[in-house]
Amino acid sequence: MTEKMQETATKTTNLLVAGVGGQGVITATHLLSQVALAEGYDVKQNDVVGMSQRGGSVVSHLRFGQEVASPLVSAGAADLLLSFEMLEALRYMHWLRPGGLLIYNLLRINPSTVAAGFAEYPGDVRERIEASWERTLPVDGNALAQQAGNPKTANVVLLGAVSVHLTFSEEAWLSVIEENVPPKTVEANHRAFALGRQAGKA
Amino acid sequence: MREILTGNEAIARGAWEAGVRLASAYPGTPSTEILENLALYEDVYSEWAPNEKVAFEVGLGAAFAGARTLVAMKHVGVNVAADPLMTAAYTGVEGGLVLISADEPGQHSSQNEQDNRHYARFAKIPLLEPSDSQEAKDLVRSALELSEEYDTPVMLRTTTRLSHSKSVVELGERPPECDNPLTSIPRNTPKYTMLPGYSRIRHPLVEERVARLRSRADELGFNRLELRSRGLGIVASGVLYQHVREAFPEASVLKLGLTYPVGARLAQELREYVDRLYVVEELDPFIEEQLRLLGIEIDGGEHVLPRVGEFDAGLIARRLSADGAPGADALLATAPPTPVEGLPQRPPALCPGCSHRGIFTVLSKLRVFVSGDIGCYTLGALPPFEAMHSCIAMGAGIGMAHGMAKVVQPGQKLREKVVAVIGDSTFFHSGLTPLLNVAWNRSDAVIILLDNRTTAMTGGQQHPGTGSTLMGHETPNVDLPGLVRALGIERVTEVDAYDLAEVESTLRKELETAGPGVIITKGPCVLEYKVSAAPMTVDLEACDACKRCLKAGCIALTYEEEGQSAYVRIDEAQCNGCGVCAQLCNFGAIVETARTEA
Ligand SMILES: Cc1ncc(C[n+]2csc(CCOP(=O)(O)OP(=O)(O)O)c2C)c(N)n1
């Protein structure tokens, strides 16, 4: 059984969610917030939303607990970092506190600088992540989403993996997902969540 | 009922609950969502104005007529609205007027990092700063009440981390009596007509009002003294209060909700209670200076904390402990681990299919001087285009191009000719008067209007050229070429933004012709109008790997090398089928998907 992030009922839990503009980072974090609220916690979330263009680095902060003051997770204080993309996992890794858990999607999205040939995407990105952080959990969100029957459910797969490491009830998760996804996709999203939970237990 | 709301959503809710009748704004990060959310309440009249000055004036008019009013803008928007603001402070109002100034410490999406709290002092109006969404909602009502009681506009200042943070809010309702109809405009010429003779009478009242507010500052219920440890006291406001609570959980804190004018009583009490007193504020030492003028001794503020960028709890814990402040949270006070270095940056880029791409591809090729403006198209300054050479403020690009063209004689050198580039929303915001100047005073500057039918940069808001309003009503659509001609520009050419040959030949012609000329490039924003065509694909046989297509700066294109062979690949999931890269290819290697499949 994996160690849960919420060590005590009074401690505030710090999550950071990172990814690339257009991937749905903010929406996914909002689902997390909703679940925390449903479970009776005080919640604060902060996203940097600025330019509407695609492709930039995006990060969302989420804190929940008995009573939360600051909406920001300070660098070096995150209990859990969820990254939707491998390079972004490396970029925000220092946000984790010692012993924090890094869950990352096995997905590579080239920054515009790389696509245009000005910079190189580190070829050994996964090895670098594994070499520089102790507690890691890679998840193939996109493959599992395919398996769930809808490639757009990758974010819910990743949330499923995160859910294993938080104390929220499965019912709370399932009902928040149901309330927030298009009605036709509820079943696929529930399957995606279950696959994510399996992956999260690895 | 309790809900998780962003600061901006909470402000909108607060305005609705407090009986605001009219709200006006121009979009700008981080303020935009205030009006987008207010527009969801049908009993509040909400509109986008063409710019912040107009927004403020619309609000002021409604407030003179007795309506509770909200006006919202980003920090630099207040610069645009400053002229009427400074004098509205003299006239005061009938109905409450709250001006939301959304500041951006950290400059996530702005051209500067100015501290707008100075505007409150400059205009001599009260300033409120909420520290979470609940307070944001509550303070909108307080601001309106204060505005009516003290007969003054009130400024409510948020920052990005307040506007965009979500926290739990208790919702209320809108009392029906707020909607009793107003049937006349109160007349009071000496109060509302600022001839010098009348204005001179108002000025002492403004001074007296500030003094009265200052003497009552700690009695108004906005400031709270939390006495805990005697070792350390901190004065903070806004979201910084929240960071301080995390960084030094045991510290005594004076939480200021009213940051102009700052009162003396609670600060004095805290000073006497603690050994060390700090002021924690981002950007300028605004509170600190007021406290020092009140004779309060501060142990640390300005010299301990950075004067640029934004703070978090970790930064505050580290800086203050290093200065000897006791009781920091242990984890936060440790030095943060260093980020992994040498990673490729991930800057925002023009979307695949963006109608600005072709223009910047051509400008980049011609290497003319581009006097830019603010919008998505400012990304044209970045590689691979590097085709914008100045950008200062909204609407500034045309006037600056005119100034440059007046003093430089480029002769035949294309590279030294000046082109101004401006988006449609920015043109309506503040491009009309400088273009009028170009037409009137005649320069050779070429002006390109990028007509993408939206305010894309801030998420796609309506403007006078979209044929619709914020509340979703249809409205006449400005005839852009007609408007430009009416200003006195004789040569106006409309081009297809995706046709590189047409863009280039038109631009070359304009650059060779003396006198002002305007080119309007047409192509709706692909995000806002959900435009997409079938993705293109690369015929690998034909691809020469020359990288010419990469000049389009599109994230759907990737240059790949595999052993001996090299080629460019198109990510079908991202490609929008706009065809700009295909026009750049000399080998006909970029083709429509359907053709290879056939
Ligand atoms: C005074 C001021 N108000 C608002 C903004 C925020 N802002 C920057 S660009 C822009 C408008 C962009 O629209 P447009 O000119 O049509 O260009 P697009 O992004 O659509 O390409 C806005 C609202 C600002 N920077 N300065």
Side-chain angles (χ1 to χ4, degrees):
Chain A
M1 187 58 206
T2 354
E3 177 202 345
K4 303 274 183 190
M5 285 294 120
Q6 294 133 289
E7 286 158 5
T8 61
T10 51
K11 190 183 159 281
T12 298
T13 303
N14 294 320
L15 268 74
L16 197 77
V17 185
V20 178
Q23 274 195 297
V25 168
I26 292 168
T27 320
T29 314
H30 190 63
L31 290 188
L32 262 161
S33 293
Q34 297 287 331
V35 180
L37 186 72
E39 293 282 89
Y41 289 97
D42 187 21
V43 184
K44 286 194 176 162
Q45 179 183 341
N46 185 282
D47 323 302
V48 168
V49 288
M51 316 205 190
S52 60
Q53 305 91 354
R54 297 282 162 85
S57 178
V58 175
V59 62
S60 197
H61 299 236
L62 174 65
R63 309 187 70 228
F64 60 88
Q66 214 81 64
E67 203 188 323
V68 180
S70 170
L72 289 185
V73 177
S74 298
D79 299 292
L80 192 152
L81 165 61
L82 167 64
S83 183
F84 285 29
E85 200 274 348
M86 290 191 287
L87 179 61
E88 299 312 300
L90 217 44
R91 197 187 308 284
Y92 289 102
M93 186 184 273
H94 67 292
W95 233 267
L96 284 164
R97 67 161 164 78
L101 175 65
L102 167 57
I103 299 183
Y104 65 101
N105 192 11
L106 287 170
L107 177 71
R108 164 180 170 162
I109 300 177
N110 278 340
S112 56
T113 45
V114 169
F118 299 114
E120 267 190 43
Y121 195 102
D124 54 348
V125 62
R126 186 169 173 184
E127 291 74 16
R128 278 179 73 179
I129 295 171
E130 294 297 335
S132 22
W133 203 257
E134 225 164 274
R135 293 189 63 207
T136 61
L137 181 69
V139 178
D140 195 339
N142 294 55
L144 292 174
Q146 287 286 359
Q147 206 177 316
N150 182 341
K152 289 185 178 160
T153 59
N155 295 355
V156 172
V157 170
L158 294 167
L159 290 178
V162 168
S163 74
V164 177
H165 302 273
L166 302 173
T167 55
F168 306 146
S169 71
E170 198 165 343
E171 299 78 68
W173 278 102
L174 293 177
S175 70
V176 165
I177 291 171
E178 191 169 334
E179 284 159 22
N180 285 277
V181 302
K184 280 186 191 157
T185 67
V186 171
E187 271 183 41
N189 274 291
H190 281 176
R191 275 197 299 276
F193 185 74
L195 288 167
R197 277 185 80 82
Q198 272 172 27
K201 284 174 188 153
Chain B
M1 217 183 61
R2 280 151 55 88
E3 243 182 75
I4 303 182
L5 299 183
T6 63
N8 283 348
E9 289 165 342
I11 288 170
R13 179 77 192 192
W16 179 75
E17 289 178 14
V20 161
R21 287 175 193 262
L22 176 143
S24 188
Y26 181 74
T29 309
S31 72
T32 311
E33 302 82 9
I34 297 171
L35 264 269
E36 289 180 331
N37 281 285
L38 249 176
L40 304 176
Y41 299 101
E42 283 185 357
D43 29 16
V44 179
Y45 170 76
S46 303
E47 67 173 28
W48 291 127
N51 69 31
E52 293 87 352
K53 179 174 184 286
V54 176
F56 185 84
E57 290 156 351
V58 168
L60 189 62
F64 277 14
R68 283 196 167 177
T69 300
L70 175 142
V71 176
M73 53 199 65
K74 75 183 279 152
H75 60 334
V76 288
V78 181
N79 301 336
V80 179
D83 192 11
L85 171 65
M86 299 305 289
T87 305
Y90 280 34
T91 62
V93 291
E94 298 286 326
L97 172 62
V98 58
L99 164 63
I100 315 283
S101 166
D103 289 14
E104 260 230 316
Q107 287 189 251
H108 301 282
S109 190
S110 298
Q111 65 266 39
N112 79 20
E113 204 176 19
Q114 68 186 47
D115 188 336
N116 269 19
R117 296 178 299 172
H118 295 295
Y119 269 116
R121 179 160 55 185
F122 193 13
K124 305 182 178 181
I125 60 176
L127 171 62
L128 297 173
E129 292 191 72
S131 69
D132 61 19
S133 297
Q134 179 70 52
E135 280 183 27
K137 194 196 80 158
D138 296 343
L139 284 186
V140 172
R141 175 190 297 277
S142 307
L144 291 162
E145 289 168 356
L146 203 61
S147 169
E148 286 163 4
E149 186 183 343
Y150 284 83
D151 193 9
T152 172
V154 172
M155 182 159 141
L156 190 145
R157 180 214 192 215
T158 75
T159 57
T160 308
R161 297 302 186 179
L162 189 286
S163 280
H164 288 167
S165 284
K166 293 177 183 148
S167 59
V168 183
V169 177
E170 186 71 48
L171 303 185
E173 289 306 318
R174 178 179 175 96
E177 57 273 19
C178 309
D179 297 308
N180 294 345
L182 297 173
T183 50
S184 68
I185 307 169
R187 296 187 187 201
N188 189 346
T189 303
K191 183 166 186 279
Y192 293 123
T193 308
M194 290 297 92
L195 287 163
Y198 291 146
S199 172
R200 231 176 266 130
I201 297 166
R202 297 297 303 172
H203 187 183
L205 300 178
V206 173
E207 301 300 332
E208 182 267 328
R209 185 178 69 208
V210 172
R212 193 153 39 97
L213 271 162
R214 193 184 290 287
S215 69
R216 293 192 56 206
D218 289 328
E219 267 59 65
L220 295 169
F222 301 122
N223 303 338
R224 183 172 76 226
L225 183 56
E226 301 170 0
L227 293 180
R228 282 178 283 266
S229 134
R230 283 185 175 270
L232 174 66
I234 299 177
V235 183
S237 69
V239 82
L240 290 157
Y241 162 78
Q242 310 289 2
H243 298 337
V244 161
R245 291 291 296 124
E246 302 277 349
F248 292 92
E250 286 314 310
S252 296
V253 177
L254 172 56
K255 176 189 181 301
L256 293 179
L258 181 71
T259 49
Y260 186 78
V262 169
R265 187 174 65 80
L266 293 176
Q268 196 58 52
E269 202 178 310
L270 179 62
R271 174 69 279 184
E272 282 159 22
Y273 184 79
V274 297
D275 300 333
R276 294 180 77 82
L277 182 63
Y278 287 80
V279 180
V280 172
E281 55 189 326
E282 288 165 336
L283 305 177
D284 300 339
F286 182 77
I287 296 171
E288 184 176 344
E289 281 176 10
Q290 291 185 70
L291 288 174
R292 287 187 191 278
L293 280 174
L294 291 169
I296 312 271
E297 236 175 87
I298 312 286
D299 296 302
E302 200 190 358
H303 67 277
V304 177
L305 288 158
R307 287 280 64 98
V308 296
E310 62 179 355
F311 303 171
D312 62 17
L315 180 134
I316 295 165
R318 291 191 302 276
R319 290 295 185 106
L320 267 57
S321 337
D323 194 58
D329 175 272
L331 178 64
L332 293 174
T334 52
T338 38
V340 179
E341 276 179 34
L343 300 179
Q345 291 300 307
R346 200 185 283 279
L350 294 178
C351 302
C354 175
S355 56
H356 300 326
R357 174 164 285 108
I359 319 305
F360 281 94
T361 308
V362 171
L363 286 169
S364 178
K365 176 178 172 190
L366 301 188
R367 301 181 68 209
V368 287
F369 188 98
V370 179
S371 169
D373 228 295
I374 310 187
C376 286
Y377 50 93
T378 313
L379 293 171
L382 302 181
F385 309 112
E386 301 181 84
M388 186 176 292
H389 308 97
S390 60
C391 169
I392 299 296
M394 280 188 76
I398 297 178
M400 291 173 63
H402 177 78
M404 290 167 186
K406 282 290 181 192
V407 295
V408 172
Q409 279 102 41
Q412 290 312 303
K413 283 182 291 180
L414 203 55
R415 194 177 187 279
E416 305 309 329
K417 300 209 173 180
V418 185
V419 174
V421 172
I422 185 168
D424 48 357
S425 188
T426 304
F427 179 65
F428 295 126
H429 177 280
S430 46
L432 291 166
T433 20
L435 187 59
L436 186 62
N437 184 48
V438 171
W440 178 28
N441 286 309
R442 315 306 289 176
S443 63
D444 293 339
V446 176
I447 286 93
I448 301 183
L449 297 187
L450 305 166
D451 182 7
N452 67 353
R453 298 277 124 176
T454 191
T455 316
M457 168 104 170
T458 41
Q461 291 74 29
Q462 301 83 354
H463 64 53
T466 60
S468 57
T469 66
L470 170 61
M471 294 186 83
H473 302 297
E474 268 188 50
T475 184
N477 193 339
V478 172
D479 163 17
L480 200 49
L483 175 62
V484 170
R485 280 194 198 94
L487 293 175
I489 303 282
E490 288 108 4
R491 287 199 318 277
V492 185
T493 320
E494 291 183 88
V495 298
D496 173 354
Y498 294 96
D499 186 334
L500 298 192
E502 188 187 1
V503 171
E504 183 171 339
S505 64
T506 311
L507 186 54
R508 280 186 185 277
K509 203 172 102 221
E510 276 307 330
L511 287 164
E512 280 157 16
T513 318
V518 168
I519 301 171
I520 301 175
T521 67
K522 308 198 55 97
C525 169
V526 290
L527 268 195
E528 184 58 18
Y529 293 93
K530 304 199 168 35
V531 183
S532 70
M536 314 283 283
T537 188
V538 179
D539 176 351
L540 295 181
E541 302 278 284
C543 177
D544 190 54
C546 69
K547 295 192 188 179
R548 201 161 181 269
C549 57
L550 298 183
K551 293 188 174 152
C554 180
I555 48 176
L557 300 175
T558 314
Y559 179 73
E560 309 218 333
E561 279 172 359
E562 268 178 24
Q564 293 294 68
S565 70
Y567 56 90
V568 168
R569 190 176 57 80
I570 293 183
D571 177 354
E572 288 198 11
Q574 300 225 48
C575 175
N576 204 287
C578 75
V580 167
C581 60
Q583 293 173 65
L584 287 169
C585 182
N586 283 336
F587 304 94
I590 301 179
V591 291
E592 284 167 24
T593 331
R595 256 202 285 165
T596 49
E597 277 166 2

